[in-house]
Amino acid sequence: MDVTYREHAIRVSCAGHWQAVMVELRSGATLPTKVSAHRAEGRTVLLRRACELIDVYVAAQAARSERAVRGRKLTRR
């Protein structure tokens, strides 16, 4: 089952343990890191971990974009 969070699809599976793969919806790019949880921890813990990881990636992308904009402003005369 897929869940959507901050323009990312979280694809959840459970075969012995919970696992999630995150995909950026705009580009279709799969995030390079997967998250997992023991079966006893449950799907809720897995989804929380996936959302936290997406938050990290989104924040990093925003910071990179901001640095790029500042860099362009510094080079213009």
Side-chain angles (χ1 to χ4, degrees), residues 34-74:
K34 297 177 185 176
V35 294
S36 61
H38 293 284
R39 183 170 269 216
E41 289 176 299
R43 184 175 180 269
T44 302
V45 169
L46 177 78
L47 290 174
R48 185 181 70 234
R49 290 175 183 165
C51 291
E52 288 170 354
L53 183 61
I54 290 168
D55 289 340
V56 169
Y57 277 101
V58 169
Q61 286 177 328
R64 271 195 303 273
S65 295
E66 187 176 311
R67 282 193 304 273
V69 167
R70 276 191 268 141
R72 282 191 294 252
K73 288 180 183 177
L74 292 174

